[in-house]
């Protein structure tokens, strides 16, 4: 059977310069795909629906031979699996799944359970974490055009609109806002203590990755919560966020220890 | 998500800047493009292309999108 390489397109957030530091937080986020599954023999529509139902929830996956991770059996969660259309030999499906789920493998396994075999013909990622197909998706061709307008016509509007502030990369994380006086110390690697907190999201759990913002909405760093939100609200001191990854430059906010001397 | 105000605090306008007020050069240093990966090139090749196009020293993608993996 001539298969060739499946066509793979869609949402691929590209981080620029210092935003590269935030990539790790995107990789662990929820993914959504639309895929074309080619069935090797015709089956009843009801049978396809029935088998797709079996692949919802926690599934076992062995990574494919040509993959970048260790080939040990992994448990992955498929949150949603929907049959959009089936017109033999093609079935269009939508998959909402945990990061690291192999859709190609999922389709192969669905084919095995159907008893007729199947392979992935086309794949389009429609979402990764906060990045969605419907919001500010830019084609390479368009980006190239915008760069031309900027360089040759001195018109930067379109390129500016195509680039989102890096803060968008952590918009799926819970947030805390630090007071101005606490910002500088965090950029030097200090943790965020309770007295430095201005605002906080509800339902933060101890151990969560939390994004630390300024009152102006600039991202300072990402860290790990050392207490739940409820505990913070009742505390006067102690460490709330252990700083892990600093993204803001050190010279943006004045150090509070200098201010005190003035 | 709901916010709790822990303490009333004001920000000094002399320092920092709202992300919406950043200029193009600032966005090029700390920004992200929600790119529609075309069929054909690998995620890595697409990133190299964007890096060259924008004249950057660093760029990276948030999770590969490749036929052999089909997921990231």
């Amino acid at each position: 059977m001539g298969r060739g390489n499946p066509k793979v397109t869609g949402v691929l957030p590209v981080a620029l310069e210092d935003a590269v530091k935030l990539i790790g937080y995107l990789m662990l986020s929820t993914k959504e795909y639309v895929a074309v599954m080619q069935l090797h023999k015709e089956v009843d529509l009801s049978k396809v629906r029935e088998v797709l139902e079996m692949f919802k929830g926690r599934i076992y996956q062995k990574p494919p031979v040509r993959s970048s991770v260790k080939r040990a059996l992994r448990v992955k969660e498929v949150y949603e699996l929907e049959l959009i259309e089936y017109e033999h030999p093609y079935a269009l499906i939508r998959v909402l799944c945990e990061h690291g789920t192999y859709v190609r493998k999922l389709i192969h396994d669905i084919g095995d359970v159907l008893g007729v075999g199947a392979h992935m013909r086309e794949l389009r990622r429609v979402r990764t974490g906060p990045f969605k197909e419907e919001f500010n998706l830019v084609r390479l061709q368009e980006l190239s055009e915008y760069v031309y307008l900027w360089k040759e016509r001195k018109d930067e509007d379109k390129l500016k609109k195509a680039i989102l502030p890096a803060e968008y990369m952590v918009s799926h994380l819970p947030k805390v806002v630090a007071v101005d006086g606490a910002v500088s110390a965090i950029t030097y690697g200090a943790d965020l203590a309770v007295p430095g907190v201005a605002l906080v999201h509800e339902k933060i759990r101890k151990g969560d990755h939390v994004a630390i913002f300024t009152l102006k909405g600039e991202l300072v760093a990402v860290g790990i919560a050392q207490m739940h939100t409820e505990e913070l609200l009742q505390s006067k001191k102690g460490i709330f966020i252990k700083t892990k990854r600093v993204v803001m430059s050190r010279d943006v906010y004045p150090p509070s220890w200098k201010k005190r001397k003035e | 998500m709901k916010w709790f105000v822990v303490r009333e605090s004001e920000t000094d306008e002399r320092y920092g800047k709202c992300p919406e007020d950043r200029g193009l050069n600032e966005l090029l240093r700390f920004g992200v493009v929600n790119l529609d990966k075309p069929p054909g090139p690998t995620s890595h090749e697409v990133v190299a292309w964007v890096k060259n196009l924008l004249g950057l020293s660093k760029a990276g993608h948030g999770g590969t999108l490749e036929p052999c993996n089909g997921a990231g």
Side-chain angles (χ1 to χ4, degrees):
Chain A
M1 205 167 310
R3 293 192 189 170
N5 263 342
K7 205 171 122 185
V8 176
T9 64
V11 176
L12 182 73
V14 177
L16 318 179
E17 301 285 0
D18 290 344
V20 170
K21 290 180 187 169
L22 298 170
I23 280 173
Y25 301 106
L26 268 187
M27 289 195 174
L28 303 178
S29 64
T30 303
K31 311 284 193 272
E32 186 170 356
Y33 298 92
V34 171
V36 176
M37 168 167 87
Q38 184 169 352
L39 299 175
H40 301 164
K41 224 182 216 172
E42 191 157 5
V43 284
D44 282 345
L45 180 68
S46 59
K47 180 78 180 160
V48 180
R49 287 191 199 285
E50 189 191 314
V51 170
L52 284 185
E53 208 54 45
M54 292 164 61
F55 282 85
K56 276 188 201 167
R58 291 159 74 82
I59 58 162
Y60 289 93
Q61 272 200 332
K62 191 165 185 170
V65 184
R66 285 171 61 202
S67 75
S68 50
V69 296
K70 195 168 156 239
R71 295 196 64 223
L73 207 57
R74 310 195 294 181
V75 179
K76 288 292 162 192
E77 185 148 4
V78 175
Y79 308 112
E80 290 172 27
L81 182 56
E82 179 199 359
L83 179 70
I84 300 170
E85 201 185 322
Y86 174 43
E87 196 171 320
H88 191 72
Y90 304 119
L92 189 64
I93 60 170
R94 186 182 65 85
V95 188
L96 184 72
C97 57
E98 195 181 343
H99 70 94
T101 309
Y102 290 95
V103 178
R104 187 181 194 153
K105 184 78 177 105
L106 176 73
I107 286 175
H108 178 91
D109 294 346
I110 290 169
D112 279 353
V113 174
L114 278 170
V116 296
H119 69 276
M120 185 172 83
R121 184 68 190 251
E122 262 181 60
L123 181 74
R124 181 161 179 81
R125 182 154 68 195
V126 294
R127 179 187 156 193
T128 173
F131 292 88
K132 297 183 178 108
E133 198 181 28
E134 317 83 52
F135 180 68
N136 225 43
L137 191 69
V138 182
R139 293 198 198 104
L140 274 180
Q141 194 67 39
E142 290 170 322
L143 196 64
S144 163
E145 198 185 306
Y146 302 161
V147 169
Y148 172 83
L149 290 172
W150 168 46
K151 289 194 171 161
E152 308 298 326
R153 305 272 181 86
K154 308 282 170 247
D155 177 5
E156 60 173 41
D157 281 9
K158 288 213 164 110
L159 185 59
K160 242 183 92 174
K161 273 188 200 126
I163 307 174
L164 299 162
E167 277 78 4
Y168 197 76
M169 292 174 77
V170 294
S171 53
H172 57 307
L173 297 184
K175 298 178 184 75
V176 58
V177 174
V179 298
D180 279 9
V183 174
S184 177
I186 298 168
T187 63
Y188 279 87
D191 298 329
L192 173 62
V194 175
V197 176
L199 296 111
V200 67
H201 264 158
E202 64 170 348
K203 289 178 189 158
I204 289 175
R205 315 302 300 163
K206 192 175 167 179
D208 283 354
H209 286 276
V210 178
I212 306 173
F213 282 83
T214 64
L215 284 155
K216 295 188 190 75
E218 306 148 285
L219 180 64
V220 184
V222 180
I224 310 278
Q226 305 298 301
M227 46 176 94
H228 304 333
T229 298
E230 305 86 65
E231 204 183 332
L232 165 85
L233 295 173
Q234 286 159 15
S235 303
K236 290 262 184 298
K237 54 179 189 172
I239 300 300
F240 178 42
I241 308 290
K242 204 164 167 44
T243 299
K244 283 286 168 197
R245 199 163 275 273
V246 177
V247 293
M248 181 180 272
S249 307
R250 288 179 174 182
D251 49 8
V252 183
Y253 281 77
S256 47
W257 58 85
K258 262 189 195 163
K259 224 168 155 187
R260 250 179 253 132
K261 277 188 205 158
E262 276 168 20
Chain B
M1 234 183 297
K2 216 172 98 188
W3 287 97
F4 285 110
V5 178
V6 180
R7 55 183 56 74
E8 298 286 345
S9 186
E10 281 184 11
T11 186
D12 190 331
E13 294 304 327
R14 287 176 296 171
Y15 310 108
K17 188 191 257 183
C18 296
E20 306 81 68
D21 297 337
R22 284 183 195 144
L24 179 59
N25 283 322
E26 289 165 300
L27 287 168
L28 286 168
R29 278 199 307 272
F30 191 51
V32 60
V33 178
N34 187 17
L35 204 76
D36 190 350
K37 185 198 162 294
T42 63
S43 302
H44 191 77
E45 286 164 341
V46 169
V47 169
W49 198 86
V50 171
K51 198 177 122 180
N52 280 332
L53 183 73
L54 298 174
L56 307 173
S57 63
K58 252 189 306 177
H61 60 73
T64 58
L65 185 54
E66 313 298 353
C68 66
N69 293 351

